[in-house]
Amino acid sequence: MKYAIVLPDGAADEPVVELEGRTPLQAAKKPTMDWIATHGRQGCVTTVPRGFAPGSDVATLSLLGYDPRINYSGRAPLEAAARGITAQSDELIFRCNFVTIVDGVMTDFTAGHISQAEADRLISDLNRALAGRGCRFFSGVSYRNLMVAANASGMDLQSTPPHDIPDRPVAQHWPRGRGSERIRTVMEEARILLAEHEVNLVRRDLGENPATDIWLWGQGRAKKLESFTSRFGVRAAAIAAVDLIRGIAKTVGMDVLEAAGATGYLDTNYAAKGAAATAALSSYDLVVVHIEAPDEAGHLGDAAAKVKAIERIDECIVGPLLETLRRSGEWRILISPDHPTPVARRIHTDAPPPFCMAGHRVHGVVAEPFSEAAAAASDLQIDSGHELMEYFLRS
Ligand SMILES: [Zn+2]
């Protein structure tokens, strides 16, 4: 049996006024996803257990079959795994965003999607300036970087994801809790370094958002998880551009494959991802493809971009995968957004997202195109998200 799983990040949504009351999923032309929903099943899955913040870290762990209540240790350790960064048990790993804060307001949690070269340069200067504070900074992708704090066994912090406070005051959202003073000091010293940095002077000249601040969040300690192969008995590979998903895949022992031109943004090379995924089906039992673009469109509040991203995923990834699967023997396919990122809200919500699946012995009951409403009306509702994988592989 061959399995394909497509994770269109943040693709679930709510009715949008500019789409005449349809959701982006309803407005998008997505013949293959609709074929899957009408020839198979759709339903909703609770990917974020009560008490957890709705994020791709928690939601994707659920979708891959791991109960976040047992297996989640923070977002940053998962991203660190993607980069091969190891930390001591008394170290705390943070996500370190470059952000733009103007007059105390989080105006851009991506610092204008700062270029890799600029981000790399800022990271190396932060390392020079703040090594004495017991901090090690690591480059990631664009604004998404990491920081490891040494001697942090006594730290017990709460922090706020910067994408949860777009255009809102940051004052109440600085890291808080035991040991937070040291982290706030690091953020303050970074701000001083960044204020006059040449990278920012150039960005301001060009009218781009400067990286005024680092924002530390998503902290946690490294944790080992049971491998996907030992849990489910299939050999799996993952294709993803963003560190978080690559890190989750590596943490559960999946092979992480490369796709040329995958960016983790709206300009990603969808066709390259589709080609890499279909090729992987010849050597693996299961392939997971994650696409960040719909989530980014949601954060931008751009309904048209979200519709476009869903259409490209359908055309360039889901289509070729289904075609390849249908030429192989027994197969199943699953399309499952991790969480909604409604364009009207521009943040994640914890509403259970829709999924659809088709293939060997998956029999449809109601033939409806894939949408949030059709999935919600289905009798297939999975309350513990980590049980969806079991259902997909074994039912
Ligand atoms: Zn997001």
Side-chain angles (χ1 to χ4, degrees):
M1 185 97 120
K2 294 279 182 187
Y3 302 94
I5 299 173
V6 179
L7 308 175
D9 200 305
D13 212 298
E14 297 165 359
V16 179
V17 175
E18 48 191 301
L19 300 175
E20 287 134 14
R22 293 169 300 170
T23 66
L25 214 46
Q26 287 172 318
K29 286 187 194 67
K30 49 175 189 4
T32 309
M33 291 187 210
D34 288 339
W35 186 95
I36 291 165
T38 50
H39 289 78
R41 305 209 63 185
Q42 58 184 318
C44 292
V45 51
T46 302
T47 52
V48 180
R50 195 183 304 274
F52 283 81
S56 294
D57 45 5
V58 170
T60 305
L61 270 178
S62 284
L63 290 176
L64 294 185
Y66 292 79
D67 186 348
R69 287 168 293 196
I70 299 162
N71 298 291
Y72 181 69
S73 68
R75 175 184 190 114
L78 296 168
E79 295 192 344
R83 305 243 137 220
I85 297 165
T86 50
Q88 309 296 319
S89 58
D90 66 340
E91 291 185 316
L92 202 52
I93 310 170
F94 291 80
R95 172 68 172 277
C96 173
N97 272 50
F98 285 122
V99 300
T100 310
I101 297 176
V102 179
D103 298 331
V105 170
M106 181 69 67
T107 54
D108 185 352
F109 70 86
T110 73
H113 285 272
I114 189 166
S115 76
Q116 194 62 50
E118 290 173 313
D120 287 345
R121 213 176 131 198
L122 295 180
I123 288 292
S124 95
D125 288 345
L126 284 166
N127 266 324
R128 252 193 298 280
L130 291 165
R133 294 268 174 207
C135 296
R136 293 183 285 142
F137 291 86
F138 297 89
S139 282
V141 179
S142 173
Y143 63 90
R144 311 174 186 100
N145 303 283
L146 292 166
M147 191 274 274
V148 177
N151 304 317
S153 45
M155 272 189 198
D156 185 13
L157 305 182
Q158 295 82 51
S159 60
T160 303
H163 52 251
D164 280 357
I165 45 171
D167 297 320
R168 288 188 220 157
V170 300
Q172 272 112 60
H173 297 288
W174 292 91
R176 51 221 173 266
R178 199 165 70 225
S180 60
E181 305 77 28
R182 186 175 141 210
I183 299 306
R184 294 165 81 126
T185 303
V186 168
M187 291 167 76
E188 276 153 26
E189 289 184 3
R191 183 197 302 138
I192 294 164
L193 178 146
L194 293 168
E196 298 303 319
H197 200 285
E198 196 196 337
V199 161
N200 279 331
L201 301 180
V202 172
R203 289 186 70 77
R204 284 196 177 91
D205 272 353
L206 296 172
E208 317 243 31
N209 284 341
T212 62
D213 288 79
I214 60 169
W215 190 262
L216 299 172
W217 60 286
Q219 70 282 347
R221 295 180 168 83
K223 186 165 182 145
K224 233 179 141 38
L225 304 189
E226 188 188 350
S227 86
F228 192 84
T229 303
S230 92
R231 275 204 73 179
F232 296 109
V234 293
R235 286 194 60 238
I239 296 164
V242 296
D243 276 353
L244 174 64
I245 309 302
R246 294 167 70 92
I248 293 174
K250 282 191 180 170
T251 304
V252 302
M254 290 184 182
D255 286 347
V256 176
L257 308 179
E258 302 302 326
T263 61
Y265 198 49
L266 298 167
D267 59 356
T268 198
N269 188 337
Y270 297 89
K273 282 181 125 163
T278 50
L281 281 172
S282 57
S283 32
Y284 293 89
D285 307 315
L286 182 150
V287 59
V288 179
V289 193
H290 170 270
I291 309 96
E292 179 80 355
D295 179 64
E296 296 286 350
H299 288 300
L300 291 169
D302 188 336
K306 194 162 179 183
V307 169
K308 177 99 186 290
I310 294 167
E311 291 179 343
R312 299 284 287 152
I313 291 166
D314 193 76
E315 178 194 350
C316 303
I317 298 171
V318 184
L321 273 172
L322 183 65
E323 216 178 290
T324 305
L325 287 170
R326 291 177 76 183
R327 285 199 305 265
S328 63
E330 292 181 349
W331 57 271
R332 281 184 183 175
I333 189 167
L334 169 69
I335 316 297
S336 192
D338 53 351
H339 55 68
T341 311
V343 291
R345 300 176 194 264
R346 298 180 55 198
I347 56 172
H348 304 166
T349 70
D350 55 12
F355 67 91
C356 62
M357 58 188 277
H360 183 64
R361 292 173 54 195
V362 179
H363 302 296
V365 262
V366 187
E368 289 258 15
F370 184 41
S371 75
E372 295 84 350
S378 156
D379 61 356
L380 183 56
Q381 304 293 321
I382 296 181
D383 296 331
S384 295
H386 64 279
E387 290 171 0
L388 173 61
M389 184 60 71
E390 191 82 28
Y391 180 81
F392 174 62
L393 296 176
R394 293 181 177 158
S395 69

